[in-house]
Amino acid sequence: MITDGPLRDADERLGPWITGSRLPDGVAELLADLGGVAVAAPVLAVAIAYAALRAYRAGAFRWWLGPVAAAVAMVAVPVLVIPLKELIGRTGPPGMDGTGYYPSGHTATAMVAYGGAVLLLLPYLRGTYARRELVIACALLNFGIGLGLVRRGYHWPLDVVASWCLFGIVLQVMVLVVARYGCRATDADMDTDTDTGMDTSTGTAQPK
């Protein structure tokens, strides 16, 4: 279905339509660049350092678990993306040489870096509104990066969607690991804010 078939046909019809859209080239290029390691990785690094420091100062149980889980999720990007690119060997849009475009590495990097940073920072934001707005901003940013990559002709839409799906799962695993191992069993009920689903003792978001 990825290398041939109706799904790819639909994907390759949608790609040129997005490429020919009215989104300015400069804006699309900027959005695409935000998915690069040089931009996204430092954002996650700052969030990791901040969350680790806050959790350590608060004396949180296994204060290091959330930051380490986020770092491991980032390492998972090349570990998963590179073999998949080699295995599938999908060709790029017109004007792009070679193979290895599926899934999108920039999309994966952005998904984990910005998504991981948000998960680390959510417990330290006061109020449901601020947390909701940060999550929405992260979602819009990741959508914009994917759109920019397709608009500039660097990827097919399906390359981007595949990374969203795959690394959405990686982020969910990160949350589940911290939720499972990041708090004492006797303190779990006390430390969890039942209204927001945030665990203040571990420094990451809890699933609801």
Side-chain angles (χ1 to χ4, degrees):
M1 294 294 290
I2 297 170
T3 57
D4 197 11
L7 185 60
R8 173 163 178 164
D9 292 341
D11 187 43
E12 294 184 356
R13 286 195 298 270
L14 179 61
W17 182 81
I18 296 175
T19 302
S21 68
R22 295 184 178 181
L23 182 66
D25 288 347
V27 174
E29 187 69 28
L30 174 62
L31 288 170
D33 287 344
L34 292 177
V37 173
V39 178
V43 173
L44 180 60
V46 170
I48 287 173
Y50 177 81
L53 182 61
R54 287 289 301 268
Y56 176 76
R57 286 181 172 177
F61 178 67
R62 292 179 180 168
W63 58 268
W64 45 267
L65 184 58
V68 169
V72 171
M74 196 69 207
V75 172
V77 172
V79 170
L80 294 175
V81 168
I82 293 174
L84 285 172
K85 285 177 175 289
E86 293 295 327
L87 177 65
I88 296 168
R90 187 181 188 187
T91 56
M96 301 299 291
D97 297 329
T99 60
Y101 289 84
Y102 180 101
S104 165
H106 274 57
T107 305
T109 299
M111 186 79 177
V112 173
Y114 301 127
V118 166
L119 291 173
L120 290 171
L121 296 177
L122 282 179
Y124 305 107
L125 294 179
R126 295 183 178 181
T128 303
Y129 176 80
R131 293 167 180 158
R132 182 177 65 244
E133 294 304 303
L134 182 60
V135 171
I136 292 173
C138 180
L140 290 174
L141 176 60
N142 275 280
F143 176 80
I145 290 168
L147 180 63
L149 290 166
V150 178
R151 169 65 179 81
R152 293 295 292 152
Y154 299 140
H155 278 286
W156 298 109
L158 194 59
D159 304 343
V160 170
V161 173
S163 287
W164 283 341
C165 294
L166 177 58
F167 288 93
I169 295 172
V170 170
L171 290 178
Q172 182 65 20
V173 170
M174 169 187 160
V175 171
L176 293 174
V177 167
V178 175
R180 173 66 178 82
Y181 299 105
C183 62
R184 299 181 183 92
T186 55
D187 296 338
D189 293 336
M190 180 176 62
D191 290 337
T192 301
D193 181 338
T194 55
D195 292 332
T196 63
M198 303 304 302
D199 186 343
T200 57
S201 70
T202 61
T204 191
Q206 289 274 22
K208 298 185 72 174

